[in-house]
Amino acid sequence: MALIVHKYGGTSMGSTERIRNVAKRVAKWARAGHQMVVVPSAMSGETNRLLGLAKELAPAGSSAALNRELDMIASTGEQVSVGLLAIALQAEGLESVSYTGWQVPVATDSSYTKARIESIDDTRVRADLAAGKVVVIAGFQGIDEENNITTLGRGGSDTSAVAIAAAMKADECLIYTDVDGVYTTDPRIVPEARRLHTISFEEMLEMASLGSKILQIRSVEFAGKYRVPLRVLSSFTPWDIDINEEAKSGTLISFEEDEKMEQAVVSGIAFNRDEAKVTLLGVPDKPGIAFQILGPVADANIDIDVIIQNVSHDGKTDFSFTVPRNDYARTLELLETKVGPATNASKVVGDPRICKVSIVGIGMRSHVGVASKMFRALSEEGINIQMISTSEIKTSVVIDEKYMELAVRALHKAFDLDQDEKS
C-alpha cells in the first residue's frame, strides 16, 4: 500500500460531471489499496470571477490590507472544490473528509497573494488516512502566524500538493492537468512538439522558471529539495483506464540523468510573454551601483530576471533589466521618482513589448556551440537579440514580442525537437 497524492487543476474540476469523474478516478486508486490525499484547484474561472468582484470594489493602488482581503476572497474557490469533491467521493461509497489549508494547518509567511509555505502539520491527515478515509485538502492556501488566511500565488495548488507529498513522504505525487505531460514546447505554437516520457528535475525547474506553464516553479523546487517523485499526466483520459497503465503515463520528472537523456542536447523551448524591460541610461560606473539600482526594486517585492550592464563610456554606463509585465508600471515609477534621481541617471526608458525565449537541456553541459546554433537560427529569421542570459543548462534571449512564435518554431526545428526520442 502506497501513500499517493493527486492534484487536479481547475479544468478537471470545471463542472459537477468532471468532479464526479475525478471522484471515480480517486476511488479507483483507493480501491487498489492506496492511501489517498487529493489536492484540487478551484473550479476553472472561479478565482478570476472572485478577484474580478474584488477589483470592482477595490481602492486605487495596492496595500497589505487590500491583499489580505484578496486572499480571504480567493481562498474560497478551493474551499468549494474540496467540499464538492468530498461529497462526490462519498457518493462513490468512500469515507472522505475535506480540509481548508488553515485546518490542516499549512503554515506560511505573511506575503499575501504570494505566500511561501513554512511547515505542514500532517497529524490530523495521518489519523484520517489510518481510519481509511480519503483526505481532500484545499490547495493554493495556508495560514500565517497571526491566523490570517494566505494564498500562494497563481498555480499555487501545485505547490500545495508537492509540499503535502513532501511533508508526508508520499510515494508519488501525480499532477493531473489538461495536457498529457511535458512537451518539447507549447503544441499550440509548434504542432510538431513532442511529449517527453521523462525530463530531469533540473530541466523542469528551468522550463518552469522560464515560462512553461505546466507546473508552478515553487512546486518543482519543493519536489527537488525533498526528492518527491513527480508525474504530470492528463485528467482527460477515461477514469477507468487500467491503473498500471495510468501510473506509467504522462511525463515523469526524474532525478536520474540516464544515458538516453544525454543524447538530447536541448530538451525543450520555453517562452514567456510576461516580461518588460527597463533601462537606466547614463548611471555612474562605480562599485555598488547595481545594488543602488536593484536594492529598492527588490525591496518593493518585484522579481528581477535578466540583467545587463553595458561597457562604460566616460565613467557612465547603461543598466537594463527585465521584470514581470504586471510590475512594469510600478518599476518605471520607482526608477523615475527614487532610483533615477538617487543614482544621477540621465534618463529612464522602458519597453513592455518584449518576450523571453529559452532553450533548455542538460545535454548542453557536454556540448559546445549550442548558443551559437541558437543565435544563427534567430539571425536567419531576421530576429534581433536585445539581451542574453545563460546558465549551465539553458540559454535565454530577450527579443521583440512580435517575433516570439517565429523564434520558438525556428529553434524547435534547429534543434530537431520534432524528431522522435532515440530509444
Side-chain angles (χ1 to χ4, degrees), residues 184-376:
T184 48
T185 195
D186 189 335
R188 289 169 296 187
I189 287 181
V190 184
E192 302 80 19
R194 285 181 302 102
R195 180 170 61 81
L196 299 164
H197 299 296
T198 57
I199 185 170
S200 76
F201 154 71
E202 288 175 277
E203 287 170 321
M204 190 67 236
L205 190 60
E206 289 285 12
M207 294 280 276
S209 71
L210 295 168
S212 168
K213 299 291 190 287
I214 303 289
L215 289 171
Q216 193 199 40
I217 182 166
R218 275 189 283 161
S219 68
V220 186
E221 287 171 348
F222 255 106
K225 187 174 179 182
Y226 296 102
R227 311 290 279 189
V228 177
L230 206 55
R231 186 176 291 275
V232 177
L233 63 173
S234 173
S235 60
F236 294 124
T237 53
W239 67 265
D240 55 357
I241 183 174
D242 179 79
I243 194 167
N244 295 311
E245 184 186 337
E246 186 172 17
K248 291 181 188 150
S249 65
T251 301
L252 176 67
I253 298 168
S254 159
F255 297 95
E256 307 304 322
E257 295 179 13
D258 62 24
E259 289 169 17
K260 185 166 73 68
M261 284 182 178
E262 286 295 333
Q263 292 176 2
V265 179
V266 170
S267 292
I269 315 287
F271 56 86
N272 190 2
R273 279 189 183 90
D274 181 31
E275 298 260 338
K277 181 175 80 167
V278 290
T279 302
L280 281 129
L281 300 170
V283 295
D285 187 11
K286 63 180 186 183
I289 193 67
F291 175 69
Q292 269 187 275
I293 295 167
L294 299 179
V297 178
D299 290 343
N301 216 5
I302 296 168
D303 288 329
I304 298 155
D305 188 15
V306 184
I307 303 168
I308 285 188
Q309 184 172 343
N310 290 340
V311 176
S312 175
H313 288 288
D314 302 321
K316 300 276 188 179
T317 186
D318 299 336
F319 195 97
S320 302
F321 58 97
T322 61
V323 295
R325 196 170 292 181
N326 60 0
D327 286 327
Y328 172 67
R330 204 154 61 92
T331 307
L332 215 53
E333 183 190 7
L334 182 66
L335 295 185
E336 285 169 345
T337 58
K338 291 184 183 172
V339 178
T343 56
N344 294 318
S346 59
K347 196 175 182 186
V348 175
V349 294
D351 182 1
R353 292 191 225 20
I354 55 138
C355 68
K356 183 172 64 177
V357 177
S358 312
I359 56 172
V360 177
I362 53 173
M364 289 167 67
R365 283 183 183 139
S366 50
H367 289 77
V368 295
V370 180
S372 62
K373 187 174 184 179
M374 178 189 199
F375 303 151
R376 184 170 71 241

Side-chain angles (χ1 to χ4, degrees), residues 45 139 146 149 213 221 238 312 396 398:
E146 303 287 318
I149 291 173
K213 299 291 190 287
E221 287 171 348
S312 175
S396 298
V398 171

Side-chain angles (χ1 to χ4, degrees), residues 11-33:
T11 314
S12 314
M13 299 291 293
S15 65
T16 50
E17 188 52 41
R18 286 184 180 171
I19 292 170
R20 193 173 286 121
N21 284 335
V22 168
K24 288 179 184 297
R25 192 183 299 273
V26 172
K28 174 183 72 180
W29 282 76
R31 289 185 185 119

Side-chain angles (χ1 to χ4, degrees), residues 164-176:
I164 287 162
M168 303 197 67
K169 297 186 169 49
D171 294 272
E172 192 160 286
C173 181
L174 277 59
I175 308 277
Y176 287 88

